[in-house]
Amino acid sequence: MKAANLTTLGYVTLLDSLRIRSSLKANEFHIAKAMQWLCRAQDSTDDGGVSEGVSEGFHLYHGWLPSYPATTGYIIETFLDYHRITDGSDFRERAIRMADWLLEVQQDDGAIPDSSLTHKMVFDTGQVIFGLVRAFEETEDEKYKDAAVTAGEWLVEQQEEDGTWKQHALDGIPHTYYTRVAWSLAELHRVTGRDSFLAACKRNVDWAIGQQQRNGWFDKASATLKNHPHPFTHTIAYTARGILEVGLYTDDDEYVRSAAMAMNGVIDSIPKKMRLPGTYNSIWKGEGRFNCLTGNAQLAIILLKLHKRKGDSEYFIAAKRINKYLKRRQQLKVWSKNIRGAIAGSYPIWGKYLHFTYPNWAAKFFVDALLLGDALKRKEAD
């Protein structure tokens, strides 16, 4: 372990032990710092992708690790969104470099490999589709669309009759959070009009809704990650976001209601001090003395989208509180440029979700949540 990393690790641990938080600034400031960190994550590699770390991002023990296809895929969207509001050509160029790298790692049958670039993964393939579709829309270059279509065709081929994915899925079992894969097929339908993509998308979402209990909870055996008895807010949000986005795309109120039911369970459990539990059990009781910051950002996005759809101010207020909580925990008090501006996997840093890690997707969803909050405020002001 490098001495510099040991020093940084000790300082970050001390800050979290003493509950010393960053000062609140305007959203633009926090977004800019997070985007600068994401640029450094890309620059730490030589292939154009975004560094993975131990599980993505910058790990305090080991430093920067190689690029990760799945998260690089959906980070493309964030860079292009930021490009639009800043008119910074550098962000567009970076997004295209990411997309070009994804074309290089895509396998001949359309599948996208995991972080080791060896095993075909359904989830990773779905996440890359988001980036390829956006790259096509941004550049009008058919190579990105063709690659996305090939990936989508592979996903359809792997799907079980009940709408789940087992082959090339984590642990070989179905997961409700693969609704985010289903959503990627809806994106493909949007740009191709091919009914087979939408049909496969809806088969998976219908199956996931079938796993939902009356209190909004999704079957924990399907929603959780390996070796964790209860799902992190990260995978809970993946599940609800996938269902919601497909509902918004198809204008299906049943899908929207399903996502809202899950978020109502979360809202009812939010404590006054906004320290959301990192995991939940099936009665929406929080477990664990840590916070999954990635899941927080994802939940804020869902709440803001529900507010936009339903006009319920309770969703907006909850999302605003979550975003404020995240801004105070963005890493802005450390001298190391490798983590300045980043969002940790867990708060405190030693929590169960990617402990001692700054994952690239945490910063991505943090930026997305703040950008969406600002956009809704501007719209309502107008």
Side-chain angles (χ1 to χ4, degrees):
M1 190 187 303
K2 297 179 180 179
N5 287 350
L6 272 173
T7 302
T8 301
L9 172 61
Y11 186 59
V12 170
T13 302
L14 178 63
L15 289 175
D16 283 5
S17 297
L18 299 176
R19 298 183 181 179
I20 297 175
R21 298 166 293 178
S22 298
S23 300
L24 282 175
K25 306 285 186 179
N27 281 359
E28 291 83 355
F29 174 87
H30 291 276
I31 292 170
K33 293 299 182 183
M35 291 301 298
Q36 290 167 12
W37 180 82
L38 284 169
C39 289
R40 288 193 290 273
Q42 184 181 28
D43 292 342
S44 72
T45 72
D46 58 7
D47 52 31
V50 183
S51 170
E52 176 190 8
V54 120
S55 249
E56 289 80 50
F58 176 79
H59 192 286
L60 292 180
Y61 288 151
H62 305 295
W64 298 106
L65 292 183
S67 300
Y68 184 30
T71 56
T72 296
Y74 57 43
I75 286 173
I76 289 173
E77 298 177 295
T78 303
F79 270 63
L80 291 176
D81 287 342
Y82 194 61
H83 160 68
R84 288 185 178 182
I85 67 169
T86 62
D87 198 27
S89 60
D90 179 56
F91 294 104
R92 182 182 186 275
E93 293 167 1
R94 285 177 175 277
I96 300 309
R97 289 208 306 273
M98 294 178 202
D100 288 340
W101 175 68
L102 294 173
L103 296 183
E104 294 177 9
V105 302
Q106 185 176 29
Q107 300 186 3
D108 291 341
D109 58 5
I112 297 294
D114 60 7
S115 58
S116 67
L117 303 184
T118 55
H119 303 292
K120 302 175 184 179
M121 297 298 293
V122 163
F123 189 80
D124 301 53
T125 301
Q127 308 325 296
V128 165
I129 286 174
F130 289 110
L132 294 177
V133 168
R134 278 298 296 274
F136 163 67
E137 292 178 313
E138 179 68 25
T139 65
E140 298 184 351
D141 191 328
E142 292 286 335
K143 69 180 181 181
Y144 301 118
K145 180 180 177 181
D146 292 344
V149 168
T150 304
E153 291 172 341
W154 181 80
L155 289 176
V156 174
E157 291 174 0
Q158 307 309 312
Q159 192 177 42
E160 306 291 329
E161 290 185 4
D162 64 358
T164 63
W165 281 281
K166 297 179 183 177
Q167 298 184 67
H168 306 293
L170 183 65
D171 298 329
I173 61 174
H175 302 274
T176 56
Y177 69 88
Y178 278 34
T179 56
R180 191 173 171 94
V181 178
W183 171 25
S184 76
L185 293 176
E187 283 291 284
L188 271 178
H189 177 265
R190 182 174 61 80
V191 296
T192 67
R194 287 175 52 171
D195 292 339
S196 59
F197 290 139
L198 186 59
C201 162
K202 295 181 72 173
R203 280 197 298 272
N204 180 259
V205 173
D206 288 341
W207 170 82
I209 290 178
Q211 312 305 306
Q212 191 171 29
Q213 300 179 13
R214 291 183 178 180
N215 67 350
W217 177 260
F218 292 96
D219 175 25
K220 67 184 180 183
S222 297
T224 191
L225 291 173
K226 186 178 180 180
N227 297 327
H228 294 283
H230 302 294
F232 296 111
T233 52
H234 172 54
T235 50
I236 293 172
Y238 266 161
T239 302
R241 176 86 183 273
I243 294 172
L244 175 62
E245 294 288 358
V246 175
L248 295 175
Y249 176 66
T250 61
D251 197 28
D252 190 317
D253 286 337
E254 179 186 359
Y255 291 176
V256 175
R257 280 196 297 270
S258 173
M261 285 171 58
M263 291 304 97
N264 290 343
V266 172
I267 287 177
D268 290 344
S269 71
I270 294 178
K272 291 183 179 180
K273 293 185 178 180
M274 265 315 308
R275 185 171 177 176
L276 277 167
T279 63
Y280 282 98
N281 64 18
S282 61
I283 59 172
W284 293 109
K285 181 180 178 181
E287 299 188 352
R289 296 183 178 181
F290 75 99
N291 189 256
C292 176
L293 299 180
T294 307
N296 278 19
Q298 294 172 267
L299 292 173
I301 294 167
I302 298 169
L303 292 168
L304 289 168
K305 285 179 172 285
L306 283 171
H307 166 69
K308 182 179 179 180
R309 170 79 177 202
K310 300 166 71 69
D312 191 331
S313 61
E314 183 180 19
Y315 294 130
F316 186 84
I317 293 170
K320 186 176 180 180
R321 292 171 62 196
I322 292 173
N323 281 344
K324 181 179 179 180
Y325 181 92
L326 287 168
K327 287 163 63 175
R328 294 296 302 273
R329 284 150 187 85
Q330 184 182 23
Q331 189 50 261
L332 298 174
K333 289 186 171 292
V334 174
W335 57 85
S336 172
K337 65 179 182 180
N338 286 335
I339 62 174
R340 186 169 179 81
I343 299 289
S346 291
Y347 179 81
I349 194 72
W350 57 84
K352 291 182 179 179
Y353 182 72
L354 300 181
H355 52 277
F356 299 110
T357 305
Y358 291 88
N360 64 30
W361 64 72
K364 174 260 189 321
F365 287 122
F366 173 64
V367 171
D368 290 350
L370 295 185
L371 287 176
L372 181 57
D374 283 347
L376 289 179
K377 284 191 291 185
R378 288 194 299 268
K379 182 178 180 180
E380 293 181 0
D382 292 340

